[in-house]
Amino acid sequence: MMHMIENNFHTIVRQRKDDPIELTCFYEELAVKGIGEIVPQRSAKIPGYNLYGIHANHMDMTKFPSREDPGYDAILGELQRWAKMVHGTKQDTVHSGREGKISTQEYACLQSLWPGGIDYESQKNQNPKRVSDTCLWTLKNPRYLEWRDNEEQILLWISADPGCGKSVLARCIVDEDLPRVFANDSSKRVLYYFFKDTSLEQRSISRAMSTILHQLFVFRPQLIRHALPKYKEKGAALSTIFPELRSIFTAAATDPTAGNIICVLDALDECNDQEQPRLLECLEDFCLGSRTSSSASRLKFLVTSRPYFEIRRRFDGLLEASSNIELAGNDESASIKKEIDLVIRHQVANLKRELRLAPKVSEHLEKRLLETEHRTYLWLHLLWNVVRKNLSGTNSEMDRLVDNLPDDIQGSYEVLLQKCPDSVFARRVLQIVLVAARPLTLTEIDVALNVNEQTSSYATLEQDGPSRLQETLPSRCGLMISIIHSKVYFIHQTVKEFLLGKLVNFVQHDREQETLRLEHAY
């Protein structure tokens, strides 16, 4: 009976293509005492829609003790997201937008570009906010100011090596700098997408383009007319077809009513490797085409990435053929180091007060960190986790800790691994996160850790529970993972690269040992 009800409900949802139903799924994370789990997570999930855990049992998951309860906050956040998405009240035949009415079919088209209600703002906010007086190597750089203030500059490419804070910078530009500059100009709008090598979806150029279009149409509802013919033809599948999305984007962005649009694309190097050339071609065509087109396009791009050869090759040609510009972070290493020095002094001062460190110890720590040649934001973040966790005991012990701090990111990861209290457990978690096709929830990690050959059913699993994993998992894995909205991520893309590198070394070592064994045998 339950299976029939579920199938019928899915059928109803699919049939409402012209007047879609917004859904968010919540599941219980705790069992009812004496009874057990009432509705397991797998039964609460509806494919294509957001799924969140509530840290309560089936009877209490809608009874929140206060507004500060995480479950209350999660549900309120979904309601606020819906309100923000609609920008008005849904009516029988029209929907209120920021600049007038859109039809039910246009509303359905808008929703089709946001599959599963993906929260691109949360995706952006996975990156931390900048520390005060940082990111100035870009924000006060003449090249950035020239691009920001000059209508003729269409593209700015910010390239830098890992650990220089590119994604933190991109969030700062989207959230702080551009809104401040454009505060009194309602014709300007910032659109954005933050690529992340955490799942196929977050690396997808189709997801990026549909997200950009969704933001644009929420800002300018009248532009939906450019997408409506393709939506009538393709339906909900439109969000997965990049060529169609690209043509819609070009038409909408060059519409005289589009206004001034700035599109920020962060971490282009984390885009799907096979799809990346198509996105680069799209940027190239738009930037070069706008020079010869008679259209009134006022769309500009800011792109951040590592300076990989293939990306540089495409952008070099684009920069030479137009007045577009590059801001090379590697040329600003002196400025970035000065900002990191400022953060080091600030953090050491705070740590001195917090732990009541002797002046000799805090001065030695500050001096050691400032003397490191290849310091980056990521290196400092990793080192600070080690320092805060282990800086205790006698002054001589603290001195030894400081003197043995690693000088680079790879060395920092090695130290973090060595500090794991249970290396076998940490290795299992890191392997699971490494091979997962998407970010896993705490509940999924819990199941993966406890399932074995003797497991006969889900009910027989002895699990730690999401709440306990939330508290203990990062420290048990050497602080190399973070938990955001009950999902597990590596703290940085370089963790994945580090672990893959170790895996390659292990395989190569095993092959060498096997070769030696065979040579010895013969």
Side-chain angles (χ1 to χ4, degrees):
M1 176 62 72
M2 288 298 297
H3 184 67
M4 183 183 300
I5 293 174
E6 183 178 339
N7 285 340
N8 289 341
F9 181 72
H10 289 177
T11 300
I12 293 172
V13 170
R14 287 194 298 269
Q15 289 176 343
R16 292 284 293 269
K17 184 179 74 170
D18 293 334
D19 191 12
I21 301 173
E22 269 299 313
L23 296 173
T24 297
C25 306
F26 293 91
Y27 65 93
E28 64 211 58
E29 292 184 346
L30 302 180
V32 176
K33 188 175 182 180
I35 299 177
E37 192 176 43
I38 305 299
V39 181
Q41 177 186 343
R42 61 182 180 275
S43 298
K45 179 177 177 60
I46 298 177
Y49 292 91
N50 285 346
L51 177 68
Y52 300 106
I54 299 290
H55 190 62
N57 62 39
H58 189 76
M59 298 174 64
D60 297 332
M61 63 185 296
T62 58
K63 302 171 184 176
F64 306 114
S66 69
R67 293 176 61 91
E68 285 70 41
D69 186 275
Y72 178 94
D73 186 60
I75 292 177
L76 177 63
E78 283 299 283
L79 294 174
Q80 290 174 334
R81 179 177 66 81
W82 289 351
K84 183 178 179 180
M85 173 188 65
V86 176
H87 289 281
T89 304
K90 184 178 177 181
Q91 302 174 358
D92 289 339
T93 57
V94 296
H95 303 268
S96 297
R98 183 174 292 178
E99 299 182 2
K101 307 290 185 179
I102 62 174
S103 69
T104 295
Q105 191 169 52
E106 288 173 329
Y107 177 78
C109 176
L110 178 66
Q111 291 302 90
S112 73
L113 296 169
W114 202 14
I118 185 70
D119 191 346
Y120 40 77
E121 185 170 9
S122 293
Q123 190 166 310
K124 165 179 63 69
N125 293 346
Q126 289 177 18
N127 305 291
K129 293 183 177 180
R130 69 168 179 143
V131 174
S132 179
D133 293 327
T134 61
C135 296
L136 301 185
W137 64 275
T138 290
L139 299 181
K140 291 189 176 182
N141 189 291
R143 285 178 172 265
Y144 171 75
L145 297 175
E146 177 188 358
W147 168 83
R148 187 191 69 185
D149 301 331
N150 187 342
E151 296 296 335
E152 297 301 316
Q153 299 288 355
I154 294 180
L155 172 70
L156 172 64
W157 175 36
I158 300 178
S159 64
D161 287 337
C164 292
K166 296 184 294 298
S167 294
V168 173
L169 169 65
R171 178 180 178 179
C172 170
I173 290 172
V174 170
D175 288 349
E176 299 180 43
D177 192 63
L178 294 181
R180 175 185 59 81
V181 174
F182 302 151
N184 298 318
D185 190 345
S186 60
S187 71
K188 290 184 169 64
R189 183 70 171 183
V190 181
L191 315 177
Y192 59 87
Y193 189 80
F194 283 63
F195 287 101
K196 290 288 182 185
D197 189 12
T198 53
S199 69
L200 294 176
E201 287 186 340
Q202 285 190 258
R203 301 182 67 198
S204 165
I205 61 174
S206 297
R207 172 58 65 89
M209 188 63 79
S210 63
T211 297
I212 292 293
L213 284 172
H214 184 272
Q215 295 174 68
L216 177 59
F217 294 159
V218 167
F219 175 59
R220 291 277 189 255
Q222 71 273 20
L223 298 177
I224 298 176
R225 66 179 182 273
H226 294 291
L228 206 54
K230 295 295 184 183
Y231 173 71
K232 292 177 179 178
E233 178 184 348
K234 305 295 184 182
L238 177 62
S239 66
T240 65
I241 309 174
F242 182 76
E244 306 287 17
L245 296 170
R246 174 178 172 174
S247 66
I248 293 170
F249 173 73
T250 301
T254 55
D255 190 299
T257 67
N260 294 278
I261 304 296
I262 292 181
C263 183
V264 177
L265 298 175
D266 178 61
L268 184 64
D269 51 282
E270 295 186 39
C271 167
N272 184 292
D273 294 339
Q274 283 71 44
E275 297 180 348
Q276 187 186 92
R278 298 167 65 193
L279 183 57
L280 287 168
E281 180 185 352
C282 177
L283 289 170
E284 195 172 50
D285 288 350
F286 193 94
C287 292
L288 294 178
S290 65
R291 301 299 181 188
T292 57
S293 174
S294 59
S295 66
S297 172
R298 287 169 290 172
L299 183 137
K300 302 167 67 171
F301 295 94
L302 185 149
V303 180
T304 73
S305 78
R306 299 182 189 181
Y308 287 151
F309 172 78
E310 183 59 29
I311 297 176
R312 174 167 294 283
R313 184 180 66 82
R314 298 298 291 263
F315 276 138
D316 278 349
L318 186 56
L319 296 173
E320 291 174 3
S322 66
S323 58
N324 301 311
I325 52 179
E326 175 190 2
L327 198 168
N330 294 343
D331 294 339
E332 302 296 327
S333 58
S335 298
I336 294 174
K337 284 184 178 180
K338 287 181 181 179
E339 292 186 7
I340 295 174
D341 292 349
L342 183 153
V343 175
I344 288 173
R345 293 188 175 95
H346 176 75
Q347 289 183 337
V348 170
N350 286 341
L351 193 65
K352 179 181 178 182
R353 288 192 298 270
E354 180 183 338
L355 300 182
R356 299 181 180 178
L357 298 178
K360 176 184 175 182
V361 175
S362 60
E363 290 169 6
H364 185 38
L365 173 61
E366 181 177 302
K367 182 174 182 293
R368 172 66 179 82
L369 295 176
L370 291 174
E371 286 176 346
T372 302
E373 180 64 25
H374 302 293
R375 54 193 182 275
T376 64
Y377 282 113
L378 178 59
W379 168 85
L380 179 60
H381 171 73
L382 296 172
L383 261 291
W384 208 246
N385 287 332
V386 175
V387 170
R388 287 185 60 84
K389 187 176 179 182
N390 297 281
L391 196 55
S392 59
T394 66
N395 288 352
S396 60
E397 289 174 344
M398 295 180 184
D399 284 346
R400 279 196 296 272
L401 169 67
V402 173
D403 288 336
N404 290 316
L405 291 176
D407 293 328
D408 57 18
I409 294 174
Q410 297 290 319
S412 300
Y413 288 141
E414 292 286 2
V415 169
L416 291 176
L417 280 179
Q418 293 169 9
K419 297 292 183 181
C420 292
D422 184 345
S423 60
V424 175
F425 175 85
R427 186 181 299 112
R428 289 189 64 198
V429 175
L430 294 174
Q431 287 173 341
I432 291 168
V433 178
L434 180 65
V435 302
R438 58 168 175 77
L440 300 178
T441 66
L442 287 170
T443 301
E444 290 170 333
I445 289 284
D446 204 359
V447 171
L449 286 172
N450 289 284
V451 70
N452 54 49
E453 295 178 356
Q454 286 71 46
T455 303
S456 58
S457 68
Y458 183 82
T460 63
L461 283 174
E462 296 182 3
Q463 301 181 59
D464 292 324
S467 59
R468 178 167 175 74
L469 289 179
Q470 178 90 31
E471 296 173 358
T472 64
L473 203 58
S475 60
R476 294 183 71 185
C477 294
L479 303 174
M480 297 177 72
I481 61 170
S482 60
I483 300 172
I484 304 172
H485 299 310
S486 297
K487 292 184 178 180
V488 182
Y489 301 84
F490 288 130
I491 58 172
H492 194 266
Q493 164 66 7
T494 50
V495 176
K496 182 176 183 179
E497 296 166 0
F498 168 73
L499 294 174
L500 287 173
K502 291 187 74 66
L503 180 62
V504 170
N505 290 336
F506 286 147
V507 171
Q508 183 176 353
H509 178 266
D510 288 345
R511 286 177 177 172
E512 291 174 353
Q513 292 298 311
E514 180 64 14
T515 300
L516 290 173
R517 187 188 67 80
L518 291 174
E519 290 176 351
H520 208 60
Y522 288 100

